[in-house]
mmCIF file of all heavy atoms in Angstrom:
data_model
loop_
_atom_site.group_PDB
_atom_site.id
_atom_site.type_symbol
_atom_site.label_atom_id
_atom_site.label_comp_id
_atom_site.label_asym_id
_atom_site.label_seq_id
_atom_site.Cartn_x
_atom_site.Cartn_y
_atom_site.Cartn_z
ATOM 1 N N MET A 602 13.877 220.827 44.400
ATOM 2 C CA MET A 602 14.981 220.687 43.461
ATOM 3 C C MET A 602 14.583 219.631 42.431
ATOM 4 O O MET A 602 13.843 218.679 42.742
ATOM 5 C CB MET A 602 16.225 220.249 44.218
ATOM 6 C CG MET A 602 16.777 221.325 45.110
ATOM 7 S SD MET A 602 18.348 220.866 45.855
ATOM 8 C CE MET A 602 17.833 219.551 46.967
ATOM 9 N N HIS A 603 15.131 219.797 41.258
ATOM 10 C CA HIS A 603 14.834 218.916 40.155
ATOM 11 C C HIS A 603 16.143 218.568 39.417
ATOM 12 O O HIS A 603 17.095 219.277 39.503
ATOM 13 C CB HIS A 603 13.883 219.552 39.149
ATOM 14 C CG HIS A 603 12.484 219.618 39.631
ATOM 15 N ND1 HIS A 603 12.049 220.590 40.493
ATOM 16 C CD2 HIS A 603 11.412 218.844 39.381
ATOM 17 C CE1 HIS A 603 10.766 220.421 40.734
ATOM 18 N NE2 HIS A 603 10.371 219.371 40.052
ATOM 19 N N THR A 604 16.094 217.506 38.689
ATOM 20 C CA THR A 604 17.157 217.136 37.757
ATOM 21 C C THR A 604 16.523 216.618 36.478
ATOM 22 O O THR A 604 15.281 216.410 36.447
ATOM 23 C CB THR A 604 18.131 216.111 38.372
ATOM 24 O OG1 THR A 604 19.270 216.031 37.545
ATOM 25 C CG2 THR A 604 17.493 214.734 38.508
ATOM 26 N N HIS A 605 17.279 216.430 35.461
ATOM 27 C CA HIS A 605 16.786 215.869 34.199
ATOM 28 C C HIS A 605 17.368 214.478 34.010
ATOM 29 O O HIS A 605 18.466 214.195 34.426
ATOM 30 C CB HIS A 605 17.221 216.752 33.008
ATOM 31 C CG HIS A 605 16.422 217.999 32.860
ATOM 32 N ND1 HIS A 605 16.748 219.134 33.511
ATOM 33 C CD2 HIS A 605 15.309 218.259 32.133
ATOM 34 C CE1 HIS A 605 15.898 220.079 33.191
ATOM 35 N NE2 HIS A 605 14.991 219.588 32.357
ATOM 36 N N LYS A 606 16.574 213.632 33.368
ATOM 37 C CA LYS A 606 17.053 212.304 32.993
ATOM 38 C C LYS A 606 16.420 211.914 31.666
ATOM 39 O O LYS A 606 15.383 212.477 31.315
ATOM 40 C CB LYS A 606 16.757 211.279 34.083
ATOM 41 C CG LYS A 606 15.315 210.948 34.222
ATOM 42 C CD LYS A 606 15.108 209.755 35.189
ATOM 43 C CE LYS A 606 13.668 209.236 34.994
ATOM 44 N NZ LYS A 606 13.564 207.898 35.402
ATOM 45 N N HIS A 607 17.029 211.005 30.972
ATOM 46 C CA HIS A 607 16.463 210.509 29.708
ATOM 47 C C HIS A 607 15.367 209.529 30.019
ATOM 48 O O HIS A 607 15.533 208.599 30.796
ATOM 49 C CB HIS A 607 17.523 209.836 28.861
ATOM 50 C CG HIS A 607 18.516 210.799 28.262
ATOM 51 N ND1 HIS A 607 18.234 211.584 27.210
ATOM 52 C CD2 HIS A 607 19.781 211.125 28.646
ATOM 53 C CE1 HIS A 607 19.270 212.304 26.915
ATOM 54 N NE2 HIS A 607 20.221 212.054 27.776
ATOM 55 N N GLY A 608 14.186 209.744 29.419
ATOM 56 C CA GLY A 608 13.049 208.835 29.579
ATOM 57 C C GLY A 608 13.204 207.608 28.677
ATOM 58 O O GLY A 608 14.136 207.520 27.865
ATOM 59 N N GLU A 609 12.238 206.713 28.791
ATOM 60 C CA GLU A 609 12.280 205.479 27.986
ATOM 61 C C GLU A 609 12.199 205.760 26.485
ATOM 62 O O GLU A 609 12.764 205.052 25.675
ATOM 63 C CB GLU A 609 11.099 204.569 28.394
ATOM 64 C CG GLU A 609 11.238 204.024 29.794
ATOM 65 C CD GLU A 609 10.062 203.157 30.197
ATOM 66 O OE1 GLU A 609 9.285 202.766 29.301
ATOM 67 O OE2 GLU A 609 9.905 202.935 31.383
ATOM 68 N N ASN A 610 11.544 206.847 26.104
ATOM 69 C CA ASN A 610 11.373 207.170 24.688
ATOM 70 C C ASN A 610 12.458 208.155 24.190
ATOM 71 O O ASN A 610 12.362 208.670 23.109
ATOM 72 C CB ASN A 610 9.996 207.750 24.417
ATOM 73 C CG ASN A 610 9.719 208.990 25.267
ATOM 74 O OD1 ASN A 610 10.569 209.421 25.997
ATOM 75 N ND2 ASN A 610 8.538 209.539 25.103
ATOM 76 N N GLY A 611 13.479 208.381 24.995
ATOM 77 C CA GLY A 611 14.586 209.222 24.621
ATOM 78 C C GLY A 611 14.406 210.695 24.929
ATOM 79 O O GLY A 611 15.319 211.489 24.757
ATOM 80 N N GLU A 612 13.218 211.090 25.390
ATOM 81 C CA GLU A 612 12.957 212.468 25.749
ATOM 82 C C GLU A 612 13.545 212.786 27.126
ATOM 83 O O GLU A 612 13.636 211.907 28.005
ATOM 84 C CB GLU A 612 11.479 212.744 25.769
ATOM 85 C CG GLU A 612 10.825 212.694 24.429
ATOM 86 C CD GLU A 612 9.329 212.993 24.505
ATOM 87 O OE1 GLU A 612 8.818 213.186 25.610
ATOM 88 O OE2 GLU A 612 8.682 213.001 23.446
ATOM 89 N N MET A 613 13.952 214.022 27.302
ATOM 90 C CA MET A 613 14.418 214.447 28.605
ATOM 91 C C MET A 613 13.210 214.699 29.523
ATOM 92 O O MET A 613 12.214 215.269 29.075
ATOM 93 C CB MET A 613 15.188 215.755 28.509
ATOM 94 C CG MET A 613 16.526 215.585 27.795
ATOM 95 S SD MET A 613 17.678 214.540 28.713
ATOM 96 C CE MET A 613 18.202 215.666 29.970
ATOM 97 N N GLN A 614 13.283 214.214 30.739
ATOM 98 C CA GLN A 614 12.200 214.356 31.715
ATOM 99 C C GLN A 614 12.757 214.955 32.978
ATOM 100 O O GLN A 614 13.851 214.605 33.398
ATOM 101 C CB GLN A 614 11.566 212.997 32.019
ATOM 102 C CG GLN A 614 10.949 212.330 30.830
ATOM 103 C CD GLN A 614 10.384 210.960 31.187
ATOM 104 O OE1 GLN A 614 10.764 210.360 32.206
ATOM 105 N NE2 GLN A 614 9.508 210.441 30.362
ATOM 106 N N MET A 615 11.968 215.838 33.596
ATOM 107 C CA MET A 615 12.367 216.393 34.889
ATOM 108 C C MET A 615 11.923 215.439 35.982
ATOM 109 O O MET A 615 10.897 214.817 35.902
ATOM 110 C CB MET A 615 11.718 217.782 35.134
ATOM 111 C CG MET A 615 12.410 218.867 34.429
ATOM 112 S SD MET A 615 11.953 220.514 35.030
ATOM 113 C CE MET A 615 10.235 220.522 34.584
ATOM 114 N N ARG A 616 12.745 215.356 37.007
ATOM 115 C CA ARG A 616 12.433 214.462 38.139
ATOM 116 C C ARG A 616 12.783 215.207 39.429
ATOM 117 O O ARG A 616 13.906 215.764 39.575
ATOM 118 C CB ARG A 616 13.269 213.198 38.032
ATOM 119 C CG ARG A 616 12.984 212.174 39.078
ATOM 120 C CD ARG A 616 13.854 210.998 38.866
ATOM 121 N NE ARG A 616 15.240 211.386 39.244
ATOM 122 C CZ ARG A 616 16.068 210.617 39.869
ATOM 123 N NH1 ARG A 616 15.756 209.386 40.190
ATOM 124 N NH2 ARG A 616 17.256 211.042 40.181
ATOM 125 N N GLN A 617 11.834 215.292 40.348
ATOM 126 C CA GLN A 617 12.096 215.928 41.627
ATOM 127 C C GLN A 617 13.045 215.098 42.456
ATOM 128 O O GLN A 617 12.970 213.857 42.445
ATOM 129 C CB GLN A 617 10.785 216.130 42.374
ATOM 130 C CG GLN A 617 10.970 216.943 43.662
ATOM 131 C CD GLN A 617 9.658 217.213 44.373
ATOM 132 O OE1 GLN A 617 8.569 216.798 43.916
ATOM 133 N NE2 GLN A 617 9.735 217.920 45.467
ATOM 134 N N ILE A 618 14.004 215.761 43.108
ATOM 135 C CA ILE A 618 14.920 215.077 44.006
ATOM 136 C C ILE A 618 14.842 215.725 45.382
ATOM 137 O O ILE A 618 14.717 216.952 45.497
ATOM 138 C CB ILE A 618 16.380 215.112 43.427
ATOM 139 C CG1 ILE A 618 16.836 216.559 43.180
ATOM 140 C CG2 ILE A 618 16.502 214.255 42.223
ATOM 141 C CD1 ILE A 618 18.276 216.661 42.747
ATOM 142 N N PRO A 619 14.854 214.925 46.442
ATOM 143 C CA PRO A 619 14.729 215.478 47.800
ATOM 144 C C PRO A 619 16.005 216.169 48.316
ATOM 145 O O PRO A 619 15.927 216.998 49.211
ATOM 146 C CB PRO A 619 14.393 214.261 48.642
ATOM 147 C CG PRO A 619 14.996 213.097 47.909
ATOM 148 C CD PRO A 619 14.914 213.453 46.436
ATOM 149 N N GLN A 620 17.159 215.783 47.751
ATOM 150 C CA GLN A 620 18.415 216.356 48.300
ATOM 151 C C GLN A 620 19.522 216.096 47.289
ATOM 152 O O GLN A 620 19.378 215.265 46.379
ATOM 153 C CB GLN A 620 18.767 215.697 49.623
ATOM 154 C CG GLN A 620 19.083 214.215 49.509
ATOM 155 C CD GLN A 620 19.238 213.534 50.839
ATOM 156 O OE1 GLN A 620 18.749 214.034 51.818
ATOM 157 N NE2 GLN A 620 19.929 212.428 50.861
ATOM 158 N N ILE A 621 20.618 216.809 47.437
ATOM 159 C CA ILE A 621 21.852 216.568 46.702
ATOM 160 C C ILE A 621 22.938 216.231 47.729
ATOM 161 O O ILE A 621 23.188 217.029 48.586
ATOM 162 C CB ILE A 621 22.252 217.829 45.894
ATOM 163 C CG1 ILE A 621 21.193 218.157 44.863
ATOM 164 C CG2 ILE A 621 23.611 217.554 45.208
ATOM 165 C CD1 ILE A 621 21.426 219.467 44.152
ATOM 166 N N THR A 622 23.477 215.032 47.621
ATOM 167 C CA THR A 622 24.528 214.619 48.544
ATOM 168 C C THR A 622 25.861 215.113 48.021
ATOM 169 O O THR A 622 26.186 214.907 46.861
ATOM 170 C CB THR A 622 24.547 213.066 48.649
ATOM 171 O OG1 THR A 622 23.236 212.642 49.085
ATOM 172 C CG2 THR A 622 25.583 212.621 49.644
ATOM 173 N N MET A 623 26.604 215.763 48.897
ATOM 174 C CA MET A 623 27.911 216.317 48.538
ATOM 175 C C MET A 623 28.950 215.886 49.519
ATOM 176 O O MET A 623 28.657 215.663 50.699
ATOM 177 C CB MET A 623 27.868 217.856 48.544
ATOM 178 C CG MET A 623 26.899 218.439 47.530
ATOM 179 S SD MET A 623 26.741 220.235 47.715
ATOM 180 C CE MET A 623 28.415 220.781 47.581
ATOM 181 N N PHE A 624 30.170 215.751 49.040
ATOM 182 C CA PHE A 624 31.301 215.392 49.901
ATOM 183 C C PHE A 624 32.127 216.660 50.160
ATOM 184 O O PHE A 624 31.974 217.671 49.478
ATOM 185 C CB PHE A 624 32.129 214.303 49.245
ATOM 186 C CG PHE A 624 31.372 213.024 49.040
ATOM 187 C CD1 PHE A 624 30.825 212.713 47.812
ATOM 188 C CD2 PHE A 624 31.165 212.147 50.084
ATOM 189 C CE1 PHE A 624 30.098 211.550 47.633
ATOM 190 C CE2 PHE A 624 30.444 211.000 49.925
ATOM 191 C CZ PHE A 624 29.894 210.677 48.669
ATOM 192 N N ALA A 625 33.001 216.618 51.138
ATOM 193 C CA ALA A 625 33.819 217.784 51.482
ATOM 194 C C ALA A 625 34.560 218.320 50.233
ATOM 195 O O ALA A 625 35.088 217.552 49.448
ATOM 196 C CB ALA A 625 34.844 217.409 52.564
ATOM 197 N N LYS A 626 34.502 219.619 50.061
ATOM 198 C CA LYS A 626 35.201 220.346 49.002
ATOM 199 C C LYS A 626 34.658 219.992 47.589
ATOM 200 O O LYS A 626 35.281 220.324 46.591
ATOM 201 C CB LYS A 626 36.699 220.138 49.059
ATOM 202 C CG LYS A 626 37.284 220.676 50.334
ATOM 203 C CD LYS A 626 38.798 220.574 50.335
ATOM 204 C CE LYS A 626 39.349 221.086 51.654
ATOM 205 N NZ LYS A 626 40.792 221.071 51.648
ATOM 206 N N GLU A 627 33.525 219.353 47.516
ATOM 207 C CA GLU A 627 32.914 219.039 46.233
ATOM 208 C C GLU A 627 32.044 220.185 45.806
ATOM 209 O O GLU A 627 31.419 220.821 46.618
ATOM 210 C CB GLU A 627 32.072 217.757 46.330
ATOM 211 C CG GLU A 627 31.437 217.360 45.045
ATOM 212 C CD GLU A 627 30.614 216.064 45.144
ATOM 213 O OE1 GLU A 627 30.445 215.583 46.274
ATOM 214 O OE2 GLU A 627 30.183 215.581 44.106
ATOM 215 N N ARG A 628 31.971 220.475 44.543
ATOM 216 C CA ARG A 628 31.187 221.561 44.002
ATOM 217 C C ARG A 628 30.034 220.947 43.167
ATOM 218 O O ARG A 628 30.259 220.093 42.322
ATOM 219 C CB ARG A 628 32.010 222.472 43.102
ATOM 220 C CG ARG A 628 31.204 223.570 42.419
ATOM 221 C CD ARG A 628 32.060 224.417 41.591
ATOM 222 N NE ARG A 628 32.723 225.371 42.486
ATOM 223 C CZ ARG A 628 33.515 226.327 42.090
ATOM 224 N NH1 ARG A 628 33.803 226.473 40.842
ATOM 225 N NH2 ARG A 628 34.041 227.161 42.945
ATOM 226 N N VAL A 629 28.849 221.485 43.415
ATOM 227 C CA VAL A 629 27.652 221.078 42.614
ATOM 228 C C VAL A 629 27.142 222.330 41.957
ATOM 229 O O VAL A 629 27.000 223.349 42.583
ATOM 230 C CB VAL A 629 26.567 220.470 43.525
ATOM 231 C CG1 VAL A 629 25.277 220.214 42.732
ATOM 232 C CG2 VAL A 629 27.051 219.154 44.126
ATOM 233 N N VAL A 630 26.919 222.236 40.632
ATOM 234 C CA VAL A 630 26.426 223.399 39.887
ATOM 235 C C VAL A 630 24.934 223.211 39.611
ATOM 236 O O VAL A 630 24.514 222.165 39.114
ATOM 237 C CB VAL A 630 27.228 223.522 38.569
ATOM 238 C CG1 VAL A 630 26.663 224.668 37.709
ATOM 239 C CG2 VAL A 630 28.699 223.710 38.829
ATOM 240 N N LEU A 631 24.159 224.220 39.974
ATOM 241 C CA LEU A 631 22.732 224.196 39.649
ATOM 242 C C LEU A 631 22.567 224.999 38.352
ATOM 243 O O LEU A 631 23.009 226.142 38.267
ATOM 244 C CB LEU A 631 21.951 224.875 40.776
ATOM 245 C CG LEU A 631 22.103 224.221 42.152
ATOM 246 C CD1 LEU A 631 21.337 225.036 43.195
ATOM 247 C CD2 LEU A 631 21.623 222.770 42.130
ATOM 248 N N LYS A 632 21.984 224.351 37.311
ATOM 249 C CA LYS A 632 21.812 225.001 36.012
ATOM 250 C C LYS A 632 20.704 224.323 35.253
ATOM 251 O O LYS A 632 20.372 223.164 35.513
ATOM 252 C CB LYS A 632 23.133 224.930 35.242
ATOM 253 C CG LYS A 632 23.577 223.508 34.906
ATOM 254 C CD LYS A 632 24.897 223.502 34.180
ATOM 255 C CE LYS A 632 25.301 222.079 33.852
ATOM 256 N NZ LYS A 632 26.546 222.033 33.148
ATOM 257 N N PRO A 633 20.171 225.035 34.241
ATOM 258 C CA PRO A 633 19.164 224.395 33.398
ATOM 259 C C PRO A 633 19.721 223.148 32.711
ATOM 260 O O PRO A 633 20.897 223.154 32.302
ATOM 261 C CB PRO A 633 18.848 225.487 32.342
ATOM 262 C CG PRO A 633 19.241 226.770 33.009
ATOM 263 C CD PRO A 633 20.426 226.411 33.899
ATOM 264 N N GLY A 634 18.912 222.131 32.624
ATOM 265 C CA GLY A 634 19.365 220.895 31.979
ATOM 266 C C GLY A 634 20.081 219.951 32.944
ATOM 267 O O GLY A 634 20.476 218.857 32.579
ATOM 268 N N GLY A 635 20.301 220.380 34.180
ATOM 269 C CA GLY A 635 20.905 219.544 35.184
ATOM 270 C C GLY A 635 20.176 219.721 36.492
ATOM 271 O O GLY A 635 18.976 219.970 36.514
ATOM 272 N N HIS A 636 20.882 219.685 37.609
ATOM 273 C CA HIS A 636 20.263 219.980 38.905
ATOM 274 C C HIS A 636 19.825 221.447 38.903
ATOM 275 O O HIS A 636 20.588 222.325 38.501
ATOM 276 C CB HIS A 636 21.212 219.775 40.060
ATOM 277 C CG HIS A 636 21.626 218.356 40.278
ATOM 278 N ND1 HIS A 636 20.731 217.314 40.259
ATOM 279 C CD2 HIS A 636 22.823 217.807 40.514
ATOM 280 C CE1 HIS A 636 21.377 216.169 40.508
ATOM 281 N NE2 HIS A 636 22.666 216.436 40.647
ATOM 282 N N HIS A 637 18.579 221.708 39.330
ATOM 283 C CA HIS A 637 18.127 223.074 39.388
ATOM 284 C C HIS A 637 17.040 223.218 40.411
ATOM 285 O O HIS A 637 16.461 222.235 40.853
ATOM 286 C CB HIS A 637 17.648 223.566 38.026
ATOM 287 C CG HIS A 637 16.471 222.777 37.491
ATOM 288 N ND1 HIS A 637 16.657 221.574 36.826
ATOM 289 C CD2 HIS A 637 15.151 223.011 37.528
ATOM 290 C CE1 HIS A 637 15.431 221.105 36.467
ATOM 291 N NE2 HIS A 637 14.517 221.964 36.874
ATOM 292 N N ILE A 638 16.759 224.434 40.844
ATOM 293 C CA ILE A 638 15.704 224.730 41.801
ATOM 294 C C ILE A 638 14.561 225.352 41.042
ATOM 295 O O ILE A 638 14.758 226.259 40.226
ATOM 296 C CB ILE A 638 16.204 225.712 42.866
ATOM 297 C CG1 ILE A 638 17.334 225.079 43.662
ATOM 298 C CG2 ILE A 638 15.069 226.146 43.797
ATOM 299 C CD1 ILE A 638 18.021 226.003 44.628
ATOM 300 N N MET A 639 13.320 224.869 41.294
ATOM 301 C CA MET A 639 12.155 225.457 40.635
ATOM 302 C C MET A 639 11.405 226.278 41.720
ATOM 303 O O MET A 639 11.054 225.736 42.779
ATOM 304 C CB MET A 639 11.240 224.356 40.099
ATOM 305 C CG MET A 639 11.806 223.623 38.925
ATOM 306 S SD MET A 639 10.657 222.444 38.218
ATOM 307 C CE MET A 639 9.675 223.570 37.216
ATOM 308 N N LEU A 640 11.236 227.544 41.427
ATOM 309 C CA LEU A 640 10.475 228.414 42.337
ATOM 310 C C LEU A 640 9.054 228.500 41.768
ATOM 311 O O LEU A 640 8.812 229.122 40.721
ATOM 312 C CB LEU A 640 11.162 229.790 42.382
ATOM 313 C CG LEU A 640 12.609 229.757 42.839
ATOM 314 C CD1 LEU A 640 13.223 231.141 42.744
ATOM 315 C CD2 LEU A 640 12.750 229.200 44.258
ATOM 316 N N ILE A 641 8.100 227.908 42.467
ATOM 317 C CA ILE A 641 6.744 227.767 41.978
ATOM 318 C C ILE A 641 5.815 228.646 42.814
ATOM 319 O O ILE A 641 5.971 228.712 44.062
ATOM 320 C CB ILE A 641 6.291 226.306 42.012
ATOM 321 C CG1 ILE A 641 7.206 225.461 41.117
ATOM 322 C CG2 ILE A 641 4.825 226.129 41.599
ATOM 323 C CD1 ILE A 641 7.000 223.979 41.271
ATOM 324 N N GLY A 642 4.867 229.331 42.198
ATOM 325 C CA GLY A 642 3.877 230.081 42.924
ATOM 326 C C GLY A 642 4.374 231.467 43.379
ATOM 327 O O GLY A 642 3.856 232.017 44.348
ATOM 328 N N LEU A 643 5.375 232.010 42.687
ATOM 329 C CA LEU A 643 5.881 233.346 43.039
ATOM 330 C C LEU A 643 4.811 234.391 42.778
ATOM 331 O O LEU A 643 4.053 234.295 41.830
ATOM 332 C CB LEU A 643 7.141 233.645 42.272
ATOM 333 C CG LEU A 643 8.331 232.737 42.496
ATOM 334 C CD1 LEU A 643 9.480 233.097 41.580
ATOM 335 C CD2 LEU A 643 8.782 232.828 43.945
ATOM 336 N N LYS A 644 4.730 235.391 43.626
ATOM 337 C CA LYS A 644 3.701 236.427 43.522
ATOM 338 C C LYS A 644 4.199 237.658 42.755
ATOM 339 O O LYS A 644 3.463 238.556 42.451
ATOM 340 C CB LYS A 644 3.232 236.840 44.915
ATOM 341 C CG LYS A 644 2.714 235.733 45.745
ATOM 342 C CD LYS A 644 1.483 235.095 45.107
ATOM 343 C CE LYS A 644 0.926 234.007 46.009
ATOM 344 N NZ LYS A 644 0.065 233.097 45.346
ATOM 345 N N LYS A 645 5.522 237.745 42.461
ATOM 346 C CA LYS A 645 6.043 238.859 41.706
ATOM 347 C C LYS A 645 7.159 238.354 40.806
ATOM 348 O O LYS A 645 7.662 237.264 40.980
ATOM 349 C CB LYS A 645 6.544 239.966 42.642
ATOM 350 C CG LYS A 645 7.670 239.564 43.536
ATOM 351 C CD LYS A 645 8.136 240.713 44.415
ATOM 352 C CE LYS A 645 9.364 240.291 45.226
ATOM 353 N NZ LYS A 645 9.932 241.380 45.925
ATOM 354 N N HIS A 646 7.613 239.222 39.863
ATOM 355 C CA HIS A 646 8.700 238.884 38.971
ATOM 356 C C HIS A 646 9.991 238.574 39.730
ATOM 357 O O HIS A 646 10.320 239.256 40.704
ATOM 358 C CB HIS A 646 8.951 240.017 37.997
ATOM 359 C CG HIS A 646 10.122 239.797 37.128
ATOM 360 N ND1 HIS A 646 10.111 238.909 36.053
ATOM 361 C CD2 HIS A 646 11.362 240.322 37.138
ATOM 362 C CE1 HIS A 646 11.299 238.897 35.469
ATOM 363 N NE2 HIS A 646 12.084 239.754 36.122
ATOM 364 N N TRP A 647 10.693 237.540 39.317
ATOM 365 C CA TRP A 647 11.942 237.151 39.975
ATOM 366 C C TRP A 647 13.070 237.377 38.982
ATOM 367 O O TRP A 647 13.029 236.842 37.877
ATOM 368 C CB TRP A 647 11.903 235.656 40.348
ATOM 369 C CG TRP A 647 12.957 235.249 41.323
ATOM 370 C CD1 TRP A 647 14.196 234.881 41.041
ATOM 371 C CD2 TRP A 647 12.829 235.173 42.745
ATOM 372 N NE1 TRP A 647 14.891 234.591 42.203
ATOM 373 C CE2 TRP A 647 14.070 234.765 43.252
ATOM 374 C CE3 TRP A 647 11.790 235.427 43.643
ATOM 375 C CZ2 TRP A 647 14.299 234.576 44.612
ATOM 376 C CZ3 TRP A 647 12.042 235.255 44.990
ATOM 377 C CH2 TRP A 647 13.274 234.828 45.433
ATOM 378 N N PRO A 648 14.115 238.165 39.359
ATOM 379 C CA PRO A 648 15.249 238.404 38.407
ATOM 380 C C PRO A 648 15.876 237.068 38.022
ATOM 381 O O PRO A 648 15.971 236.132 38.771
ATOM 382 C CB PRO A 648 16.206 239.245 39.241
ATOM 383 C CG PRO A 648 15.384 239.824 40.350
ATOM 384 C CD PRO A 648 14.285 238.849 40.606
ATOM 385 N N ARG A 649 16.399 237.044 36.751
ATOM 386 C CA ARG A 649 17.006 235.797 36.224
ATOM 387 C C ARG A 649 18.188 235.329 37.063
ATOM 388 O O ARG A 649 18.343 234.149 37.269
ATOM 389 C CB ARG A 649 17.435 236.048 34.768
ATOM 390 C CG ARG A 649 18.061 234.833 34.154
ATOM 391 C CD ARG A 649 17.991 234.876 32.647
ATOM 392 N NE ARG A 649 18.768 233.876 32.014
ATOM 393 C CZ ARG A 649 18.377 232.585 31.881
ATOM 394 N NH1 ARG A 649 17.235 232.212 32.343
ATOM 395 N NH2 ARG A 649 19.136 231.720 31.283
ATOM 396 N N VAL A 650 19.023 236.246 37.527
ATOM 397 C CA VAL A 650 20.162 235.850 38.400
ATOM 398 C C VAL A 650 19.908 236.407 39.751
ATOM 399 O O VAL A 650 19.826 237.618 39.949
ATOM 400 C CB VAL A 650 21.479 236.423 37.809
ATOM 401 C CG1 VAL A 650 22.626 236.106 38.742
ATOM 402 C CG2 VAL A 650 21.750 235.919 36.390
ATOM 403 N N THR A 651 19.735 235.495 40.709
ATOM 404 C CA THR A 651 19.459 235.859 42.116
ATOM 405 C C THR A 651 20.190 234.960 43.042
ATOM 406 O O THR A 651 20.083 233.736 42.925
ATOM 407 C CB THR A 651 17.914 235.756 42.382
ATOM 408 O OG1 THR A 651 17.210 236.549 41.430
ATOM 409 C CG2 THR A 651 17.568 236.177 43.779
ATOM 410 N N PRO A 652 20.977 235.511 43.954
ATOM 411 C CA PRO A 652 21.656 234.653 44.962
ATOM 412 C C PRO A 652 20.624 234.028 45.910
ATOM 413 O O PRO A 652 19.738 234.722 46.392
ATOM 414 C CB PRO A 652 22.597 235.586 45.678
ATOM 415 C CG PRO A 652 22.394 236.965 45.124
ATOM 416 C CD PRO A 652 21.344 236.898 44.108
ATOM 417 N N LEU A 653 20.716 232.758 46.134
ATOM 418 C CA LEU A 653 19.857 232.061 47.121
ATOM 419 C C LEU A 653 20.795 231.509 48.193
ATOM 420 O O LEU A 653 21.766 230.865 47.897
ATOM 421 C CB LEU A 653 19.107 230.912 46.452
ATOM 422 C CG LEU A 653 18.117 231.291 45.346
ATOM 423 C CD1 LEU A 653 17.539 230.046 44.720
ATOM 424 C CD2 LEU A 653 17.026 232.177 45.873
ATOM 425 N N THR A 654 20.450 231.763 49.431
ATOM 426 C CA THR A 654 21.244 231.248 50.543
ATOM 427 C C THR A 654 20.398 230.407 51.470
ATOM 428 O O THR A 654 19.206 230.512 51.457
ATOM 429 C CB THR A 654 21.875 232.386 51.326
ATOM 430 O OG1 THR A 654 20.882 233.242 51.806
ATOM 431 C CG2 THR A 654 22.877 233.171 50.448
#
């Protein structure tokens, strides 16, 4: 999982995060420019919208 943060020079930088802490009934949205999952090393095309469980 990754998130974005502003770097020292004002550029957006991706940063790997080990976990997302959530509280009861809290919703976390995974999306570009925020928290997201990077699927690296895939052997075939992955559809843009895919449910992950």
Side-chain angles (χ1 to χ4, degrees):
M602 290 187 292
H603 286 81
T604 192
H605 283 88
K606 69 172 196 157
H607 289 283
E609 293 178 16
N610 57 2
E612 293 181 356
M613 292 295 284
Q614 298 177 341
M615 279 195 296
R616 185 181 70 141
Q617 185 175 2
I618 54 175
Q620 65 189 23
I621 298 173
T622 303
M623 297 173 55
F624 299 99
K626 298 185 180 183
E627 182 179 8
R628 176 180 280 183
V629 173
V630 176
L631 301 176
K632 63 182 180 179
H636 293 315
H637 61 278
I638 297 173
M639 293 185 79
L640 304 174
I641 299 170
L643 297 175
K644 304 297 183 200
K645 62 178 185 172
H646 174 75
W647 196 275
R649 180 159 171 78
V650 176
T651 303
L653 299 175
T654 58

